[in-house]
Amino acid sequence: MGEAGAGAGAPGGPEASPEAEVVKLLPFLAPGARADLQAAAVRHVLALTGCGPGRALLAGQAALLQALMELAPASAPARDTARALVNLAADPGLHETLLAADPGLPARLLGRALDPQWPWAEEAAAALANLSREPAPCAALMAALAAAEPADSGLERLVRALCTPGYNARAPLHYLAPLLSNLSQRPAARAFLLDPDRCVVQRLLPLTQYPDSSVRRGGVVGTLRNCCFEHRHHEWLLGPEVDILPFLLLPLAGPEDFSEEEMERLPVDLQYLPPDKQREPDADIRKMLVEAIMLLTATAPGRQQVRDQGAYLILRELHSWEPEPDVRTACEKLIQVLIGDEPERGMENLLEVQVPEDVEQQLQQLDCREQEQLEQEQLERELAPEPWVERATPT
């Protein structure tokens, strides 16, 4: 989530140093302070989070952070407080300072994000999504999730909140999806998500087509992509219990009119799509979808299952349509895997193959040249003059 808007208003004289201003703010943030003064103090805190020096100043102020967290949720300044925390968490260089000043911050934010009555749960989720991008806060958050009751783990509550429409009537909770994506970079989170007895991945799959938020779609697709790194689970993911591939392919499909023979090779959900079918509009999400399918082709059985479900047909049309060079390059590599010869014996698992250093350098050089060629072609298309068309003269 981007930095939240910062308001004006600053208690203290214009010549006061930033450190002195912070000290002067504390009495105005106390629970019994006058509401108008409390609101002005919080607006000033939010204004400070709009710039790097202001964030650095606030991140190490344990007493001030504690005072902000203790503001009543229904009070007027609570929303600005939540936005200030989003801004502070958006600065990766301050994460260590934030955790040192307030080690319990991830756990408190998590409790608020998952509280169905908390008015600013979306902001709490956004702050956690920002924090969890870095290893140390992500580890602290995983510890907070693990500390939940065994019968109802923190990760289970998070997934439930994400997948339950109207879980919080006052907060859409879209930012729980990128939070889950960040957490899924850790093996313990992936083990939870891929537990066949929990039915977690299956609940996430429909959100790849969630129409109202690219943040939610992107977070869910990122989570699924991270899960696809676990090649031991590929057979289960591609099999009938999960059937993940149609959910990855459908956002990449357009309104193509395939032949009857080609149509029969596609999963049922991808056959006879309506003429107004739109592809995923976000290029980053399209790239993650292609990367997830690529990961599923790491093993020979996975490659065969992806081939058998007609993935090549969707990727062929996507490649012809794709305007973004990065996505098109990823698509080309996946197509080459699907139509190419099988690797020699002992090298079937592409995730475990060790590429010699000289070969890796050659591949990187080829990728750079291919990228430059794609960018040059794109530039030439943009600079090409439009064909002249004779137009009727108005009468």
Side-chain angles (χ1 to χ4, degrees):
M1 186 175 187
E3 293 178 3
E15 297 180 359
S17 68
E19 291 80 6
E21 286 185 342
V22 169
V23 173
K24 291 180 180 180
L25 286 173
L26 282 173
F28 299 102
L29 296 173
R34 276 174 42 190
D36 57 336
L37 297 178
Q38 193 179 71
V42 173
R43 285 198 301 270
H44 185 54
V45 169
L46 178 57
L48 286 173
T49 64
C51 64
R55 290 192 294 270
L57 172 67
L58 294 170
Q61 302 295 323
L64 184 135
L65 291 173
Q66 186 68 31
L68 291 175
M69 295 295 290
E70 291 178 354
L71 289 174
S75 64
R79 185 177 185 180
D80 285 344
T81 296
R83 291 177 170 180
L85 291 171
V86 173
N87 288 354
L88 287 170
D91 194 330
L94 298 179
H95 288 177
E96 185 177 347
T97 306
L98 273 173
L99 289 181
D102 188 1
L105 181 63
R108 282 199 297 276
L109 286 172
L110 179 64
R112 293 184 175 184
L114 299 181
D115 183 348
Q117 304 301 322
W118 193 263
W120 320 118
E122 182 74 301
E123 285 78 4
L128 284 171
N130 286 338
L131 272 175
S132 58
R133 289 181 296 180
E134 300 297 318
C138 191
L141 183 56
M142 282 297 295
L145 288 163
E149 292 295 327
D152 192 17
S153 73
L155 275 170
E156 172 60 35
R157 289 177 59 207
L158 195 160
V159 171
R160 186 190 312 138
L162 177 63
C163 298
T164 303
Y167 177 88
N168 186 323
R170 291 178 283 185
L173 299 179
H174 298 316
Y175 280 90
L176 289 181
L179 169 60
L180 185 61
S181 178
N182 293 341
L183 292 172
S184 67
Q185 297 179 67
R186 304 188 66 83
R190 292 198 299 274
F192 167 84
L193 293 167
L194 293 169
D195 185 343
D197 296 327
R198 292 184 181 273
C199 192
V200 177
V201 170
Q202 294 92 323
R203 284 184 277 166
L204 296 174
L205 292 177
L207 297 179
T208 59
Q209 290 277 349
Y210 190 81
D212 298 333
S213 172
S214 61
V215 171
R216 186 175 293 231
R217 291 198 311 276
V220 168
V221 171
T223 301
L224 296 175
R225 180 194 58 180
N226 291 341
C227 288
C228 290
F229 277 97
E230 301 287 346
H231 62 84
R232 296 181 301 276
H233 294 272
H234 283 181
E235 184 177 356
W236 176 70
L237 287 170
L238 288 165
E241 290 186 74
V242 180
D243 198 20
I244 192 175
L245 189 59
F247 290 93
L248 300 177
L249 288 173
L250 187 57
L252 300 175
E256 290 80 25
D257 186 14
F258 295 108
S259 67
E260 289 294 329
E261 181 181 354
E262 290 177 327
M263 199 72 74
E264 291 177 359
R265 293 168 54 190
L266 292 169
V268 173
D269 291 342
L270 277 80
Q271 295 180 6
Y272 304 103
L273 297 176
D276 59 348
K277 170 68 171 70
Q278 299 293 316
R279 289 185 174 86
E280 165 59 52
D282 189 298
D284 291 333
I285 298 178
R286 293 198 302 274
K287 186 177 180 184
M288 287 192 292
L289 288 163
V290 173
E291 290 169 347
I293 300 170
M294 174 68 88
L295 288 167
L296 291 170
T297 65
T299 62
R303 287 190 290 276
Q304 191 59 50
Q305 286 179 280
V306 173
R307 290 189 186 108
D308 290 345
Q309 295 193 54
Y312 166 73
L313 298 174
I314 302 297
L315 295 166
R316 180 191 68 190
E317 300 301 321
L318 171 67
H319 180 264
S320 300
W321 170 89
E322 181 58 59
E324 295 295 330
D326 286 350
V327 186
R328 193 165 54 189
T329 299
C331 192
E332 284 177 357
K333 292 178 180 178
L334 178 51
I335 289 174
Q336 289 169 5
V337 169
L338 293 177
I339 66 176
D341 296 330
E342 278 295 302
E344 60 185 73
R345 187 177 180 85
M347 305 192 57
E348 295 94 339
N349 191 329
L350 303 182
L351 289 176
E352 295 179 344
V353 172
Q354 296 295 323
V355 181
E357 186 175 348
D358 58 331
V359 174
E360 185 173 358
Q361 291 177 352
Q362 293 175 13
L363 292 173
Q364 290 175 349
Q365 292 172 358
L366 288 171
D367 282 345
C368 290
R369 285 200 290 269
E370 185 177 6
Q371 182 65 27
E372 291 173 358
Q373 182 179 355
L374 289 171
E375 291 175 355
Q376 181 63 32
E377 291 175 357
Q378 179 72 16
L379 181 62
E380 290 174 356
R381 284 196 297 270
E382 292 175 354
L383 296 179
E386 294 185 4
W388 181 82
V389 179
E390 185 175 358
R391 292 175 173 81
T393 303
T395 57

